[in-house]
């Protein structure tokens, strides 16, 4: 028997298909699904800036990061410069106080960076301008990655392997691309610089 | 109403600026009007200013100010209508009103609606006076009661910090209590809450007063507690309660004022300003006394800025024209950047070209080795030649383009720089507003008639220089009024006009700013000065004879040199001209006095128009760049190493007939000293005449102009460095502080080594015990600190739990002393944090509080403290005993 597509028999058969009653329990099943309003927990993530000094990958909340720029020469201050307070340097025409985060955090000096530490193909040392509540400083960093989103829930407590100094300034560790990154406490950093070195 | 406005900081800033403008207009207008009562335009301006002031006050809910401004406006209107005939006494009255209103720009936003604090009676009286005046419609002769004022001090005496803190703390508590009382008055149902809020504050006052042994205040505070208890928050408001409370507060305040101290700590941290005697309490008597205060011009209300974070957030005025020019130049700069990218493309093309050329040459070489046809070879050469020509053409074009870009860029950058620099300038009159007032008030106080004239109002002066000039000019004006100008009687004797004249002229000349202050008084007797110089033994008698008049006058700039016979309230204490001289030196300028006995005196100040750029010599020290201002260099030279002779530990060399001490710049800067043992040694001679010092540097780098920048204020004073700058290649350079340098050199030469290096804060203090004091009251902190430091401990302080926790983690402490009630985090929470942290749980803690009930004691012990003391333990040594016990 042949039916053409516009045949009314074809039509009504199709209709019957669409109008058939749902199978047993079908309605119930789907009611259940819709009843459980999926409360997607709003995953609040914080943007932080990841960078590397020596062998450590560290991060600062974006609110504390002011600028990343080229490293320029640092002029020492007579009778004042030491391993943490390096001196003054030029950042886009303004003179800033240059400090060594590496020295402040007690990070070990490495002669060369093991290949797995670095993220980028070529490493460009940069100057990081950071600050808290109007007090800012510049510090040289060995490599920068960029902005990373992390979730406060992911923050793990400091492992015992961290040096005491570094641990004091680190809020916690989170993972990014299989690398552990230490989230720094910018408030304490700035406070420490102010109190001890200025 | 004002809630929206009140929460917007920029709105508040605008309000402040507006009020400032209107009050300035009123003040200036009133002074002008006094000489010109018939000028209708002036009256109109005054009326408008008062009207605008009223409006502004209204927006922020300042009803009291509104009413006062309204009264002033009414006065001007009545003058306009011809109902009132203005006279000098009215000016006094109106100026007094302006004075009161001038408090407003100094207030914080939250204080606005409470204005005027403590001067309500004064305000009401003043307002009534104005209204009465309008009603009467004719002049009255007012009794001028001249009250002698407390002498103004320009410098603050050193004080014991604790008293000052106690005063300011108690004052602010009193203020808050008054506010709460006002609140209760307006909203009677707030009684219970109000009393609850006041009580702990008063209790704290009792304790505070106890600590600093202020029995009277402690007693008064206790009376207040009794009063609070008597009121009993359950009962309705007793009508006498508020009055009684305010009376007690008044007594406390007057006790505080009577205390022998000077400005409180908060005031000292600002620029030092003279003490303005407090307004007479209660009835506003001796109105003219207020006027004759001879006020210092109100310090810039935007300087003390509690709203913003840094000092530099306040708005400043820049002419719109200037700003537009800067915008245009900046926009051009942005566009021009595109031209730069064109060059990059050009260079890339050249690189490609070069590659091609290399290829062609290689091919030609191959053909040559393959010994092919000579014609082919020739052809190759020709191709190469053509290409090289093309290459040259491209480079030439690039160079041309680059040249043109460079020219544009340089020109524009120069313009931009100069425009911005110029925007820093303000017309001289910007800071000269208070001068006419000062002269007027001082002259009235002294009973002299003096006219003030300002020439060169619009002369542009660098903002910062202008600020620094204000104070010295004030001083010189006062001097002129006091010592320069004679009394009207004396002037009559010498046929001088009765009204004396003091003029200030500001003008540019040969790249310098000239400010001259001259008067037509009786001048300075050079011979008297000469005698004084001799008396003081400053020069030999022979020398004294040969001094020219100019040279004699220079001695007036010496500190402490005053030829006034008696010290008056106004001047004559010998503090002043040396300040002027120092300032001029600091700015790189000069000050000169010229005088003609009988005719008058003129003080001439010369300084660079903008202090921003100075001429310097760049030198290299240990691979870094330093700069010495040319004005401080005697000369530079190179000496042979064998010219340096040694004597008793230090070096010197012969120059003419002088022996000049030699030091190495490196050593002075605290670096390793390396005096070269051969060759030419570059040496810079600094100093003057017979006091020269030779500094060995590594190399001379040339002369250059540097745009001076202040060092980051957080660094404080860096030894031997006055400021910083950037060199052409963008590197920082330190500008040396020659005076400091000379000091250090002296030390080096005499002791053979520099003094002990600055104590680094991370100095090894093992063995010394460190204590952390946490308390939100500055007074208590200081008291505890003093007690502990006297006992030999090193002390650090924190002002609340959060601060304490941070500070604790940054150092190694042996003991913590903490208060209980603190904002942000109280003592219990703080101690709990400590006990939860393995690092700090073993540090002993003493908790101190005025709460001495059993339950407080228990709560303290529960949170983990070792000892719980009450604040009365400061009276004896139980505190220090406890500390020693716990630490040792």
């Amino acid at each position: 028997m042949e039916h053409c597509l516009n045949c009314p028999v074809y039509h009504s058969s199709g209709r019957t298909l669409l109008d058939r009653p749902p199978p047993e329990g079908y309605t119930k099943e789907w009611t259940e699904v819709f009843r459980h309003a999926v409360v997607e927990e709003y995953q609040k993530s914080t943007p932080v800036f990841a960078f590397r000094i020596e062998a450590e990958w560290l991060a600062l909340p974006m609110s504390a990061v002011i600028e990343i720029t080229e490293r320029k020469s640092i002029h020492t201050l007579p009778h004042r410069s030491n391993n943490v307070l390096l001196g003054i340097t030029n950042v886009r025409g303004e003179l800033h106080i240059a400090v060594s985060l590496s020295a402040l955090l007690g990070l070990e000096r490495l002669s060369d960076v093991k290949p797995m530490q670095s993220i980028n193909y070529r490493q460009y040392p940069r100057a990081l301008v950071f600050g808290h509540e109007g007090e800012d400083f510049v510090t040289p960093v060995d490599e920068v990655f960029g902005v990373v989103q992390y979730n406060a829930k992911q923050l793990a407590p400091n492992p015992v392997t961290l040096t005491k100094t570094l641990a004091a300034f680190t809020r916690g560790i989170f993972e990014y691309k299989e690398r552990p990154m230490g989230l720094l406490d910018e408030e304490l950093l700035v406070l420490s610089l102010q109190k001890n070195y200025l | 109403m004002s809630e929206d406005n009140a929460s917007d900081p920029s709105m508040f800033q605008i309000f402040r600026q507006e009020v400032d403008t209107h009050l300035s207009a009123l003040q200036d207008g009133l002074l002008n009007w006094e000489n010109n009562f018939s000028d209708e335009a002036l009256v109109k301006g005054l009326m408008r200013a008062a009207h605008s002031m009223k409006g502004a006050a209204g927006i922020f809910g300042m009803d009291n100010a509104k009413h006062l401004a309204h009264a002033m406006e009414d006065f001007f209107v009545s003058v306009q209508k011809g109902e009132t005939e203005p006279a000098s006494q009215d000016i006094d009255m109106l100026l007094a009103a302006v004075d009161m209103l001038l408090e407003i720009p100094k207030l914080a936003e939250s204080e606005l609606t409470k204005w005027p604090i403590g001067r309500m009676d004064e305000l009401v009286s003043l307002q009534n006076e104005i209204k009465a005046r309008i009603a009467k419609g004719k002049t009255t002769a007012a009794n001028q009661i001249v009250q002698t004022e407390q002498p103004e001090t320009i410098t603050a005496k050193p004080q014991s910090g604790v008293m000052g803190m106690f005063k300011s703390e108690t004052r602010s508590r009193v203020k808050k209590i008054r506010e709460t009382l006002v609140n209760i008055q307006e909203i009677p149902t707030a009684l219970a809450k109000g009393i609850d809020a006041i009580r702990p504050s008063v209790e704290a006052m009792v304790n505070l007063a106890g600590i600093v042994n202020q029995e009277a205040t402690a007693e008064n505070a206790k009376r207040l507690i009794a009063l609070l208890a008597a009121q009993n928050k359950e009962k309705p408001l007793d009508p006498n309660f508020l009055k009684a409370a305010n009376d007690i507060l008044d007594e406390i305040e007057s006790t505080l004022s009577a205390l022998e101290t000077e400005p409180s700590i908060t005031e000292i941290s600002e620029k030092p300003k003279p003490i303005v005697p407090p307004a007479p309490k209660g009835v506003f008597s001796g109105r003219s006394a207020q006027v004759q205060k001879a006020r210092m011009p109100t310090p810039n209300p935007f300087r003390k800025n509690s709203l913003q974070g840094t000092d530099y957030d306040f708005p400043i005025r820049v002419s719109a024209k200037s700003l537009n020019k800067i915008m245009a130049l900046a926009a051009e700069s942005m566009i021009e950047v595109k031209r730069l990218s064109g060059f990059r493309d050009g260079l890339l093309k050249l690189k490609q070209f070069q590659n091609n050329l290399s290829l062609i040459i290689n091919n030609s070489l191959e053909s040559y080795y393959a010994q092919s046809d000579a014609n082919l070879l020739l052809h190759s050469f020709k191709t190469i030649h053509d290409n090289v020509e093309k290459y040259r053409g491209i480079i030439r074009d690039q160079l041309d383009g680059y040249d043109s870009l460079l020219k544009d860029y340089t020109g524009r950058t120069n313009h931009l720089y100069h425009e911005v620099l110029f925007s820093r300038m303000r017309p001289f009159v910007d800071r000269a507003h208070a001068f006419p007032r000062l002269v007027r008030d001082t002259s009235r106080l002294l009973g002299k008639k003096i006219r003030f004239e300002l020439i060169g109002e619009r002369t542009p002066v660098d903002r910062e220089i202008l600020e620094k000039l204000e104070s010295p000019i004030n001083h010189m004006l006062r001097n002129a009024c006091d010592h320069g100008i004679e009394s009207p009687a004396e002037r009559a004797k010498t046929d001088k006009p009765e009204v004396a004249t003091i003029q200030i002229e500001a003008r540019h000349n040969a790249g310098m700013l000239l400010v001259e202050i001259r008067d037509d008084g009786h001048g300075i007797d050079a011979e008297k000065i000469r005698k004084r110089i001799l008396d003081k033994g400053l020069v030999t008698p022979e020398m004294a004879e040969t001094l020219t008049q100019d040279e004699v006058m220079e001695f007036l700039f010496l500190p402490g040199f005053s030829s006034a016979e008696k010290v008056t309230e106004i001047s004559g204490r010998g503090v002043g001209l040396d300040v002027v001289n120092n300032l001029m030196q600091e700015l790189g300028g000069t000050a000169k006095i010229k005088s003609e006995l009988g005719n008058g005196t003129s003080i001439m100040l010369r300084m660079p128009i903008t202090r921003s750029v100075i001429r310097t010599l760049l030198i290299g020290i240990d691979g870094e760049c330093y700069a010495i201002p040319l004005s401080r260099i005697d000369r530079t030279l190179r000496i042979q190493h064998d010219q340096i002779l040694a004597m008793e530990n230090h070096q010197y060399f012969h120059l003419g007939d002088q022996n000049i001490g030699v030091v190495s710049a490196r050593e002075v800067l605290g670096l390793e000293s390396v005096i070269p043992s051969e060759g030419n040694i570059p040496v810079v001679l600094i100093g003057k005449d017979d006091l020269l010092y030779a500094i060995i540097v590594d190399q001379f780098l040339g002369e250059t102009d540097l745009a001076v920048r202040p060092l980051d204020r957080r660094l404080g004073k860096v030894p031997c460095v006055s400021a910083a700058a950037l060199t052409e290649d963008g590197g920082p350079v330190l500008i040396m502080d020659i005076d400091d340098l000379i000091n250090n050199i002296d030390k080096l030469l005499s002791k053979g080594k520099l003094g002990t290096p600055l104590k680094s804060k991370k100095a090894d203090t093992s063995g010394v015990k460190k204590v952390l004091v946490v308390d939100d009251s500055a007074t208590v902190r200081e008291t505890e600190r003093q007690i502990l430091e006297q006992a030999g401990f090193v002390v650090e302080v924190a002002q609340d739990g959060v601060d304490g926790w941070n500070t604790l983690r940054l150092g190694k402490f042996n003991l913590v002393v903490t208060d209980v009630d603190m904002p942000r985090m109280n003592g219990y929470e703080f101690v709990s944090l400590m006990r939860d942290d393995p690092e700090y749980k073993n540090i002993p803690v003493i908790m101190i509080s005025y709460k001495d009930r059993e339950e407080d004691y228990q709560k303290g012990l529960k949170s983990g403290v070792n000892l719980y003391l009450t604040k009365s333990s400061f009276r004896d040594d139980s505190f220090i005993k406890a500390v020693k016990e716990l630490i040792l």
Side-chain angles (χ1 to χ4, degrees):
Chain A
M1 214 172 348
E2 282 181 18
H3 293 282
C4 54
L5 288 170
N6 288 322
C7 170
V9 182
Y10 200 67
H11 261 223
S12 55
S13 299
R15 273 277 158 70
T16 332
L17 209 60
L18 288 174
D19 288 342
R20 73 188 197 283
E24 193 70 47
Y26 180 79
T27 326
K28 213 155 174 221
E29 195 185 314
W30 278 101
T31 318
E32 284 297 317
V33 170
F34 287 120
R35 191 155 64 94
H36 292 294
V38 177
V39 179
E40 273 248 348
E41 251 180 39
Y42 177 51
Q43 301 271 340
K44 184 154 190 262
S45 65
T46 326
V48 298
F49 187 83
F51 58 95
R52 175 179 66 80
I53 298 183
E54 302 300 346
E56 300 289 336
W57 276 96
L58 305 162
L60 275 173
M62 279 312 288
S63 56
V65 175
I66 296 168
E67 190 170 345
I68 311 288
T69 182
E70 249 184 65
R71 278 209 219 176
K72 294 247 168 86
S73 60
I74 298 176
H75 197 302
T76 56
L77 298 166
H79 298 286
R80 293 292 293 274
S81 286
N82 53 47
N83 63 334
V84 173
L85 180 66
L86 299 175
I88 52 171
T89 185
N90 173 7
V91 174
R92 279 203 288 135
E94 287 291 320
L95 286 173
H96 285 257
I97 299 180
V99 298
S100 167
L101 221 50
S102 171
L104 182 65
L105 299 176
L107 299 174
E108 238 182 78
R109 231 31 184 114
L110 295 183
S111 48
D112 58 44
V113 177
K114 309 182 208 61
M116 61 173 148
Q117 299 304 125
S118 165
I119 280 182
N120 299 310
Y121 173 59
R122 277 182 73 174
Q123 297 143 45
Y124 295 93
R126 292 272 182 261
L128 166 67
V129 186
F130 66 96
H132 180 71
E133 282 186 0
E135 301 279 333
D136 56 60
F137 300 91
V138 184
T139 185
V141 300
D142 294 321
E143 192 181 338
V144 299
F145 176 69
V147 183
V148 163
Q149 300 279 350
Y150 97 101
N151 191 317
K153 301 213 176 117
Q154 302 169 243
L155 209 59
N158 293 338
V160 289
T161 47
L162 284 187
T163 62
K164 262 219 349 221
T165 327
L166 186 53
F169 288 106
T170 311
R171 289 196 208 264
I173 310 278
F174 66 95
E175 250 197 32
Y176 182 77
K177 288 206 194 305
E178 282 138 48
R179 267 170 234 280
M181 300 198 169
L183 181 65
L184 295 172
D185 182 346
E186 75 278 13
E187 197 177 336
L188 203 61
L189 277 175
V190 169
L191 210 66
S192 174
L193 285 168
Q194 282 173 310
K195 279 202 159 161
N196 299 326
Y197 299 97
L198 281 184
Chain B
M1 174 216 31
S2 62
E3 292 317 309
D4 295 311
N5 295 332
S7 58
D8 181 355
S10 58
M11 184 74 203
F12 178 58
Q13 285 289 32
I14 295 175
F15 167 72
R16 259 182 173 174
Q17 210 164 8
E18 231 197 282
V19 166
D20 207 32
T21 312
H22 296 317
L23 292 176
S24 284
L26 270 171
Q27 189 162 267
D28 290 343
L30 284 169
L31 290 171
N32 276 339
W33 195 39
E34 190 170 22
N35 298 326
N36 227 334
F37 278 133
S38 52
D39 189 333
E40 286 182 353
L42 272 175
V43 185
K44 202 166 170 204
L46 285 169
M47 191 215 66
R48 250 193 266 118
H51 180 80
S52 306
M53 180 68 218
K54 183 177 82 175
I59 293 181
F60 272 77
M62 300 189 66
D63 286 334
N64 292 326
K66 208 164 100 178
H67 294 318
L68 184 60
H70 183 75
M72 292 174 75
E73 187 190 348
D74 278 346
F75 179 85
F76 294 125
V77 166
S78 118
V79 169
Q80 277 182 320
K81 286 202 209 151
E83 290 166 6
T84 307
E85 191 74 42
S88 266
Q89 289 81 355
D90 298 324
I91 302 288
D92 287 343
M93 173 181 78
L94 295 164
L95 281 175
V98 171
D99 269 344
M100 280 202 78
L101 291 167
L102 274 169
E103 282 181 358
I104 298 179
K106 296 189 228 162
L107 299 174
E109 205 174 326
S110 52
E111 300 172 291
L112 286 181
T113 43
K114 315 296 177 195
W115 182 88
I117 298 284
R119 292 179 79 182
M120 196 62 202
D121 289 344
E122 217 181 296
L123 180 107
V124 168
S125 161
L126 193 49
Q127 222 169 284
N128 288 338
E129 202 179 324
I130 300 178
K131 289 196 187 143
R133 193 59 193 83
I134 300 172
K136 269 209 211 128
K138 56 180 186 239
T139 56
T140 50
N143 287 331
Q144 309 264 340
I145 309 170
V146 180
Q147 285 189 4
T148 48
E149 308 279 314
Q150 287 177 21
E152 295 174 338
T153 53
I154 297 180
T155 51
K157 292 185 288 214
Q159 60 152 352
S160 98
V162 182
M163 269 326 247
M165 273 191 253
F166 164 69
K167 269 181 79 169
S168 74
E169 219 186 296
T170 311
R171 277 218 173 95
S172 70
R173 282 192 196 276
V174 167
K175 204 161 121 193
K176 285 215 173 67
I177 295 176
R178 280 202 206 274
E179 283 171 20
T180 317
L181 289 175
V182 169
N183 208 20
I184 295 178
Q185 187 177 25
E186 291 173 0
I187 312 172
T189 45
L191 180 64
K193 239 174 114 179
I195 293 197
D196 278 341
I198 297 179
R199 219 205 131 86
S201 188
V202 185
E203 281 174 351
M205 270 198 320
V206 175
N207 282 295
L208 229 62
I211 289 173
V212 294
N213 283 328
Q214 286 292 308
E215 290 303 322
T217 308
E219 281 309 306
N220 279 328
K222 285 196 190 137
R223 278 169 59 205
L224 192 51
I225 295 185
L227 186 66
L228 288 171
Q231 166 55 53
N232 191 333
K233 41 194 185 176
E234 310 304 318
K235 299 211 195 98
L237 184 58
D238 183 324
N240 292 323
F241 168 68
L242 289 170
K243 175 133 191 354
N246 270 309
D247 279 344
I248 299 180
L249 289 174
D250 284 340
E251 274 186 54
I252 295 179
E253 272 188 325
S254 64
T255 321
L256 285 180
S257 309
L259 280 177
E260 259 282 334
T261 59
E262 47 314 316
S264 65
I265 296 296
T266 46
E267 283 165 79
I268 287 184
S269 60
E270 303 174 72
K271 293 193 294 199
K273 47 185 202 237
I275 304 170
V276 171
K281 207 166 71 102
V283 177
F284 181 51
S285 61
R287 176 213 325 129
S288 39
Q290 299 295 73
V291 164
Q292 287 148 14
K293 254 185 261 179
R295 296 165 42 242
M296 287 286 264
T298 46
N300 188 335
F302 301 118
R303 267 301 183 186
K304 169 184 85 153
N305 206 319
S306 47
L307 293 176
Q308 269 92 357
T310 71
D311 309 37
Y312 284 93
D313 271 348
F314 53 84
I316 55 179
R317 288 198 204 147
V318 176
S319 82
K321 190 164 127 197
S322 221
L323 209 51
N324 280 338
K325 278 202 204 155
I326 295 174
M327 269 250 12
L329 290 166
E332 243 183 70
S333 266
M334 272 228 343
I335 298 173
E336 287 280 293
V337 169
K338 300 220 174 69
R339 269 172 80 180
L340 283 174
S341 59
F343 284 106
R344 193 173 163 277
D345 297 340
L347 275 177
L348 261 157
K349 215 162 81 172
L350 278 174
K351 189 163 149 217
Q352 255 173 348
F353 213 81
Q354 181 118 40
N355 286 342
N356 284 348
L357 204 55
S358 282
L359 227 60
I360 296 177
I361 294 177
N362 273 341
N363 288 342
S364 312
L365 223 49
E366 272 172 30
S367 342
Y368 172 71
Y369 286 130
Q371 285 173 341
S372 13
D373 195 351
N375 271 338
L376 269 172
L377 219 50
L378 193 61
H379 184 76
S380 297
F381 271 122
K382 275 217 170 112
T383 322
I384 294 176
H385 180 83
D386 288 339
N387 273 305
V388 167
E389 281 305 309
K390 247 206 268 176
Y391 194 70
R392 275 223 312 227
I394 297 182
I395 293 185
R396 197 175 39 235
D397 287 339
Q398 287 282 300
L399 264 174
D400 281 344
Y402 200 77
D403 246 339
S404 136
L405 182 68
L406 192 61
K407 206 164 67 171
D408 285 344
Y409 209 79
T410 314
R412 190 179 42 254
T413 317
N414 268 327
H415 274 130
L416 190 58
Y417 180 70
H418 281 112
E419 197 56 53
V420 173
L421 213 61
F422 202 77
S423 73
R424 283 180 55 84
M425 311 274 234
R426 297 303 312 157
F428 187 70
V429 70
D430 255 22
R431 284 286 192 165
H433 288 295
F435 296 157
R437 182 80 190 268
L438 176 62
V439 172
R440 178 188 187 275
D441 293 346
T442 315
S443 62
R444 287 181 78 123
L445 182 66
L446 296 167
K448 300 179 182 169
K449 297 221 171 114
I450 311 181
R451 188 178 71 108
F452 176 77
E453 223 184 292
L454 179 60
I455 306 172
E457 288 193 345
R458 308 225 56 87
T459 307
V461 181
D462 182 288
R463 212 179 286 272
E464 264 181 38
I465 292 185
L466 201 48
E467 245 181 70
K468 294 196 171 177
L469 280 176
E470 242 190 294
S471 186
I473 294 184
N474 269 319
H475 179 86
M476 288 187 282
L477 283 177
R478 259 182 273 129
N479 251 349
C481 291
D482 197 4
H483 297 300
I485 307 287
E486 319 94 320
S487 68
E490 280 168 23
R491 284 181 79 87
K493 271 193 249 170
T494 52
D495 279 334
K496 279 188 178 171
E498 199 194 359
V499 178
T501 309
I502 296 184
Q503 276 179 338
I504 297 187
E505 181 177 354
R507 65 179 198 280
H508 285 185
N509 186 348
M512 301 285 266
L513 170 68
L514 266 63
V515 177
E516 193 180 346
I517 298 112
R518 37 174 190 263
D519 65 73
D520 62 354
H522 61 51
I524 300 179
D525 189 348
E527 292 317 305
K528 260 202 193 158
I529 310 282
R530 201 188 294 270
K531 188 165 173 307
R532 199 160 176 86
I533 296 174
L534 212 44
D535 286 344
K536 284 201 162 196
L538 294 169
V539 292
T540 64
E542 300 81 30
M543 213 53 246
E545 291 295 303
T546 60
L547 290 174
T548 66
Q549 187 179 30
D550 280 351
E551 288 170 331
V552 167
M553 292 299 184
E554 280 190 24
F555 279 85
L556 287 169
F557 287 116
L558 284 178
F561 193 105
S562 170
S563 57
E565 279 82 47
K566 58 181 167 60
V567 170
T568 68
E569 299 124 18
I570 311 261
S571 52
R573 264 184 286 170
V575 175
L577 283 182
D578 64 310
V579 170
V580 174
N581 202 23
N582 284 341
L583 175 65
M584 285 300 112
Q585 252 193 17
E586 196 192 305
L587 295 176
T590 56
K592 279 205 170 22
I593 304 185
K594 273 188 152 44
S595 177
E596 225 183 276
L597 194 55
N599 281 344
T601 313
S602 138
I603 305 182
M604 173 81 89
L605 306 173
R606 284 181 98 236
M607 66 213 92
I609 290 185
T610 153
R611 59 128 71 205
S612 291
V613 176
I614 57 171
R615 308 202 54 215
T616 63
L617 171 69
L618 283 183
I619 50 176
I621 302 178
D622 197 24
E624 292 188 305
C625 234
Y626 289 83
I628 302 183
L630 283 185
S631 59
R632 307 300 302 264
I633 299 182
D634 183 83
R635 79 191 79 174
T636 60
L637 34 96
R638 287 183 191 273
I639 55 180
Q640 297 299 320
H641 76 280
D642 53 4
Q643 285 175 261
I644 301 183
L645 312 162
M647 174 171 79
E648 282 180 29
N649 238 350
H650 52 261
Q651 278 104 346
Y652 69 98
F653 80 104
H654 247 34
L655 185 71
D657 57 351
Q658 279 188 323
N659 283 338
I660 304 184
V662 174
V663 283
S664 149
R666 283 171 179 242
E667 204 178 338
V668 184
L669 295 180
L671 305 164
E672 236 183 75
S673 166
V674 173
I675 295 200
S677 51
E678 56 180 21
N680 276 333
I681 303 177
V683 160
V684 178
L685 289 189
I686 56 171
K688 243 162 110 162
D689 301 333
D690 41 344
L691 228 55
L692 285 174
Y693 298 91
I695 306 183
I696 298 179
V697 303
D698 291 354
Q699 32 171 200
F700 295 130
L701 296 172
E703 254 181 57
T704 182
D705 288 343
L706 289 178
V708 176
R709 298 152 188 272
L711 275 178
D712 196 310
R713 67 196 149 77
R714 295 174 285 168
L715 290 168
K717 172 75 178 108
V718 176
C720 297
V721 173
S722 73
L726 290 177
T727 54
E728 280 175 351
D729 60 2
V733 55
L734 294 180
I735 302 175
M736 309 195 86
D737 177 341
I738 300 302
D739 296 314
D740 211 13
L741 200 60
I742 292 182
N743 268 339
N744 278 358
I745 295 176
D746 270 338
K747 285 198 208 143
L748 253 174
L749 287 177
S750 60
K751 289 208 209 132
K753 64 173 167 109
L754 282 176
T756 49
L758 289 172
K759 194 159 70 117
S760 113
K761 290 196 187 169
K762 307 252 310 164
D764 179 41
T765 46
S766 60
V768 181
K769 305 292 183 184
K770 267 175 89 172
V771 178
L772 175 62
V773 167
V774 189
D775 198 309
D776 62 333
S777 158
T779 318
V780 175
R781 282 203 296 273
E782 266 318 294
T783 315
E784 288 180 1
R785 179 211 282 275
Q786 285 186 11
I787 297 178
L788 290 165
E789 278 182 347
Q790 270 175 12
F793 297 106
V794 170
V795 178
E796 271 193 53
V797 298
Q799 54 191 1
D800 58 36
V802 175
D803 199 19
W805 180 235
N806 280 339
T807 315
L808 185 66
R809 290 185 290 161
L810 287 177
K812 292 183 106 30
F813 291 95
N814 304 96
L815 173 73
V816 171
V817 177
T818 175
D819 184 23
V820 174
D821 284 319
M822 297 183 285
R824 288 206 295 170
M825 187 192 287
N826 65 32
Y828 302 124
E829 292 168 337
F830 173 47
V831 179
S832 309
L833 264 181
M834 278 181 70
R835 296 311 182 212
D836 282 338
D837 192 316
E839 189 68 35
Y840 307 110
K841 69 179 180 195
N842 293 323
I843 300 182
V845 178
I846 297 182
M847 183 172 266
I848 304 204
S849 168
Y850 59 80
K851 297 199 210 170
D852 54 0
R853 302 170 300 176
E854 184 61 27
E855 52 230 67
D856 300 310
Y857 184 68
Q858 289 301 332
K859 197 165 170 196
L861 288 181
K862 243 178 76 173
S863 65
V865 307
N866 296 71
L867 204 56
Y868 188 97
L869 294 176
T870 55
K871 289 198 169 151
S872 55
S873 60
F874 291 131
R875 307 274 183 108
D876 47 37
D877 52 358
S878 53
F879 172 59
I880 198 64
K881 269 210 215 139
V883 167
K884 287 187 176 156
E885 235 173 273
L886 279 177
I887 272 195
L888 303 165

